Amino acid sequence: MIVGVPREIKPDEYRVAMLPVGVEELTEVGHQVLVEAGAGQGSGLTDAQYQAAGATIAADAAEIWARADLVVKVKEPLPSEWSHIRSGQTLFAYFHFAADEALTRAVVESGATAIAYETVRDPRGSLPLLTPMSEVAGRMSIQQGAKFLERPQGGRGVLLGGVPGVAPAEVVILGGGVVGSNAAKVAAGMGANVKILDVNLDRLRHLDDSLPPNATTLYSDRHTVREAVEAADLVVGAVLVVGARAPRLVRREDLGRMKPGSVVVDVAIDQGGCVETSRPTTHHEPIFIVDGVVHYCVTNMPGAVGRTSTYALCNVTLPYVLQLANLGWRAVAEKDPGVAAGVNVHEGRVTNQAVAKTFGFPYVEWKDASTDRG
């Protein structure tokens, strides 16, 4: 099989979808790997390292899209890439389809098979390919929130951990999953007063046992959310509904009750955001202000720490890439329900129920959408 690794073109995206060791493992079992020139530069990986591992360096992305049977990426294809996607091709990347109808339609119309990292499950039902980037994003959310609380950045001028004699910041985290728990650990470790909200009481019990005393767990309902964000200096949106659009927990009307210069870091922006006023931003222009509240809504937060993120991501994706290359996606999906859960689009059909419901597409089981092509 020909496996292609194009350079990521999303603004300020420094990750790459494969390490040289991945190239070596694929080529050792007979596959050909095409890597676009400069693809690893943002993560400190050179073309020479990829060549030494057995890759063929492609001069541009067009060659990869034209030749590869399996295209491995980090982020979703951007509009300039859509015309290159072809029927019979398999794409393996973060897609977050429920946040982008145009992308969904483009991949449907291409006839390709899209396997989304964010909906692949392991035998325990967790999300192994989303977890490492959620860990990075959760920890980064506090770094970025602390920075934008500084007055020159538009914030309230609050030091997250306070100092003796001055109260620390109030941090509210909406969602107690991987992003939320990692955000809570960092915020609590910096000395902030932390409230973490979730609707899963078992999860709240676990967090209550594992977090330090300056972190409090709260059951999430409309009144609790409203009261919590009203008192907050920093709000982290960490809500995830797998494959679906994030629920909007903070409404526009709530901003008027928040402290002027308070900060929202909406990590859920990849899935549409959990704050009504959120819209996607970039690392180059990360914030905007609505009703006096600073909004940080960067859609590829882990891309800023490309080296850490690339290694964390490829550690978990490589075993799947090897299986897909060795067996073909259909054979892998047939034996592994977790991989089958990752198949979001196949040959012009939406095969993820949450995505289909979001945009009104007919939902088809991936097996029913399949033909003899692998």
Side-chain angles (χ1 to χ4, degrees), residues 178-192:
V178 178
V179 171
S181 62
N182 277 270
K185 288 175 187 176
V186 173
M190 293 177 71

Side-chain angles (χ1 to χ4, degrees), residues 124-360:
R124 298 172 300 169
S126 61
L127 304 167
L129 307 187
L130 188 62
T131 294
M133 296 302 94
S134 295
E135 291 169 338
V136 172
R139 296 177 187 212
M140 282 188 70
S141 69
I142 303 303
Q143 282 186 197
Q144 299 302 318
K147 179 171 73 177
F148 287 102
L149 273 173
E150 296 172 5
R151 189 62 183 165
Q153 307 296 330
R156 298 191 67 231
V158 173
L159 182 65
L160 206 67
V163 293
V166 181
E170 298 290 330
V171 176
V172 170
I173 300 168
L174 304 176
V178 178
V179 171
S181 62
N182 277 270
K185 288 175 187 176
V186 173
M190 293 177 71
N193 289 328
V194 180
K195 294 183 177 69
I196 184 165
L197 284 68
D198 204 289
V199 294
N200 185 326
L201 286 170
D202 287 335
R203 183 62 180 169
L204 291 177
R205 291 186 182 101
H206 169 75
L207 292 169
D208 191 63
D209 288 340
S210 61
L211 292 172
N214 56 327
T216 302
T217 59
L218 295 171
Y219 184 79
S220 180
D221 59 33
R222 173 64 187 146
H223 288 183
T224 306
V225 169
R226 186 170 58 207
E227 291 172 5
V229 301
E230 184 177 350
D233 298 295
L234 169 61
V235 176
V236 176
V239 181
L240 174 68
V241 179
V242 180
R245 197 201 183 287
R248 287 175 172 158
L249 301 184
V250 179
R251 302 175 185 173
R252 172 67 185 262
E253 65 204 57
D254 299 334
L255 300 189
R257 304 164 66 100
M258 295 176 67
K259 301 172 184 176
S262 57
V263 175
V264 167
V265 177
D266 197 345
V267 184
I269 193 65
D270 273 332
Q271 293 291 110
C274 64
V275 178
E276 185 177 358
T277 44
S278 291
R279 56 176 172 78
T281 62
T282 66
H283 288 290
H284 185 64
E285 296 182 354
I287 65 165
F288 59 92
I289 298 174
V290 178
D291 294 345
V293 176
V294 179
H295 291 57
Y296 177 100
C297 304
V298 174
T299 55
N300 60 329
M301 289 176 66
V305 288
R307 190 167 180 87
T308 296
S309 296
T310 288
Y311 278 83
L313 178 62
C314 293
N315 286 344
V316 293
T317 56
L318 179 57
Y320 289 90
V321 174
L322 285 166
Q323 289 187 70
L324 294 171
N326 289 338
L327 303 175
W329 75 266
R330 184 179 294 104
V332 179
E334 284 176 347
K335 73 173 187 175
D336 187 343
V339 173
V343 181
N344 279 215
V345 175
H346 174 55
E347 293 188 343
R349 310 285 186 87
V350 176
T351 54
N352 178 283
Q353 199 161 17
V355 175
K357 182 178 180 181
T358 298
F359 300 124

Side-chain angles (χ1 to χ4, degrees), residues 46-75:
T46 66
D47 291 347
Q49 288 175 285
Y50 284 103
Q51 284 179 306
T56 299
I57 302 301
D60 55 36
E63 179 183 354
I64 289 173
W65 287 105
R67 295 180 58 193
D69 306 300
L70 170 63
V71 176
V72 184
K73 284 179 50 54
V74 178
K75 293 301 290 181

